[in-house]
Amino acid sequence: MMGPVRTAFYEPYPMGLGGNFLTQRLILERLDRERFHPIVVAPMEGAALERFRAMGVECVVLPPPGALGRYGQALLRAGPLAKLKSAADLVRYNFRVWRFLRERGIEVIYSNCVRAQMCVGVGARLAGVPSLLYVKGELANPIIDRICFVLASKILFFAPHNRDDRYPLLVRWFSRKIDILRIGMDPALIHEVEGRDHSALRRELGIDPDSLNVAVLAQLYRPKGQHFALEALARLAGEFPRLKLYLVGDHVVDEYRSYKGELEALADKLGIAERVVFTGWRKDALEIASLMDFIVHPSLAEGFGRAVLESMALGKPVIASAVGGLREAIQDGENGCLVVPGDVEALARRWRQLLSDPGLRARLGQEARRTVFSRYLVDDKVARLAGIWAEMARGCGACAA
């Protein structure tokens, strides 16, 4: 009898506990250990690996050479010589991955983003190990994206929108190895959050139930658009004196550290500093969301936005940018609101509608919850993902490049 499929999860962002970590955790929690032996591989130690080890998952650190450990698009902004050196370092790193895959008998490798695929794709090819790329973010670099399309044995997207936004010819060319796997949400987590006593949290953060409370749940990172939320708030502050905004999240990587200072300076300039609460990273972010009147997600680009999905599951209406898979999950005016990315006037207009109409908030929130619980549950997604991995490990022809 064959043993469990040795499956490597490459996690390029082990330093934080954001969307990547949450997705990985949900998969690892539900993965049948009799069928699969998961090994999380990362370029450095971090909080995510600590959590995975606590779950009984083996974690291996393969430190990258040179500047490959830098984040925040630092490598893409480097000069030509630095890019050439980084390319050479990337090749060296893939050879290290190749040796690891051969030594550990890995049968399939899972890359949860383009960065991950670049770190393992060549090594996987050399080792004869099929790799699955799950595209959860925006495809934005024509060269790197095309390399990943070639290297991956199979490619999954969150939603047809994500798949079709870029490279239609490339998508048609590689159509045999491209599929859709929608994001999944854990209903037990939602029920747990809803059943907790939140009185201490209200006191800690000064969340007054008689105020109008709004939150952005996202990493403090310019493309997440928190500055648009501040500008929209400034347009509404005079009309709604009890309006308050909670920015739930932190910069995670050092390259984004300055953005919080920019946001604080902008809040001062707009005269709304007393209306804005920076909570930092919170393990109880969903509990905070449950205490809000609605959620705003003003991102300029998004794969899907797990925080949006979980907020919807809590029955919270969401105003989100029309990006990524959010265009599928949210039907404008039916179970939430969509606005053009970066359009502050439209964002403020939708805020005004929800702030002024409790009935509308209730209706949209109810429909949002129904949408998630009918279409976006995690267990069936993990079962399908496991089936794909098993086929790849067996050398399924449909999964070959």
Side-chain angles (χ1 to χ4, degrees), residues 110-340:
Y110 170 63
S111 303
N112 65 12
C113 64
V114 167
R115 183 182 181 112
Q117 185 64 26
M118 288 295 290
C119 290
V120 303
V122 172
R125 284 279 184 171
L126 292 173
V129 175
S131 62
L132 185 148
L133 167 61
Y134 198 179
V135 180
K136 303 202 302 299
E138 181 187 39
L139 293 174
N141 187 296
I143 296 175
I144 291 176
D145 297 339
R146 283 173 167 81
I147 292 173
C148 288
F149 268 70
V150 171
L151 292 175
S153 306
K154 190 169 183 68
I155 305 168
L156 299 177
F157 287 87
F158 273 163
H161 287 295
N162 302 60
R163 178 196 61 199
D164 299 337
D165 278 342
R166 302 286 300 270
Y167 319 127
L169 293 178
L170 201 64
V171 167
R172 285 199 293 272
W173 182 265
F174 289 109
S175 60
R176 290 181 65 249
K177 64 178 180 181
I178 294 176
D179 208 340
I180 303 298
L181 182 65
R182 289 176 173 83
I183 191 172
M185 186 275 307
D186 181 5
L189 175 62
I190 300 302
H191 296 316
E192 180 184 346
V193 168
E194 291 174 327
R196 291 175 185 162
D197 179 359
H198 299 130
S199 54
L201 181 59
R202 285 188 183 277
R203 290 193 298 271
E204 178 190 352
L205 296 180
I207 302 175
D208 184 350
D210 294 326
S211 295
L212 291 166
N213 300 297
V214 181
V216 178
L217 288 76
Q219 179 184 2
L220 294 186
Y221 168 47
R222 177 167 287 276
K224 292 296 185 183
Q226 284 92 344
H227 53 290
F228 298 131
L230 294 183
E231 292 172 15
L233 174 62
R235 287 163 167 76
L236 300 168
E239 297 176 56
F240 301 95
R242 297 188 67 82
L243 174 59
K244 204 165 184 180
L245 175 64
Y246 291 81
L247 299 183
V248 184
D250 209 343
H251 59 277
V252 181
V253 299
D254 287 340
E255 285 81 359
Y256 307 146
R257 184 182 298 274
S258 63
Y259 183 52
K260 180 180 179 182
E262 295 176 27
L263 293 174
E264 291 171 331
L266 179 60
D268 284 333
K269 178 182 176 182
L270 296 173
I272 56 171
E274 74 283 355
R275 306 286 196 98
V276 181
V277 177
F278 291 84
T279 72
W281 180 84
R282 303 281 304 205
K283 64 180 181 180
D284 54 0
L286 274 186
E287 292 187 53
I288 297 173
S290 73
L291 301 177
M292 297 293 111
D293 290 288
F294 57 90
I295 302 298
V296 173
H297 196 77
S299 183
L300 289 171
E302 200 67 68
F304 203 102
R306 176 173 294 281
V308 169
L309 201 67
E310 291 174 334
S311 297
M312 292 172 66
L314 287 166
K316 300 299 174 181
V318 177
I319 305 173
S321 299
V323 295
L326 299 178
R327 292 167 292 176
E328 175 185 279
I330 298 178
Q331 301 299 309
D332 188 42
E334 296 181 14
N335 63 354
C337 303
L338 292 175
V339 298
V340 174

Side-chain angles (χ1 to χ4, degrees), residues 28-45:
L28 290 166
E29 283 177 343
R30 288 160 172 77
L31 200 60
D32 185 347
R33 299 299 178 84
E34 292 186 0
R35 294 181 61 200
F36 296 90
H37 176 77
I39 302 173
V40 175
V41 184
M44 65 189 73
E45 290 288 351

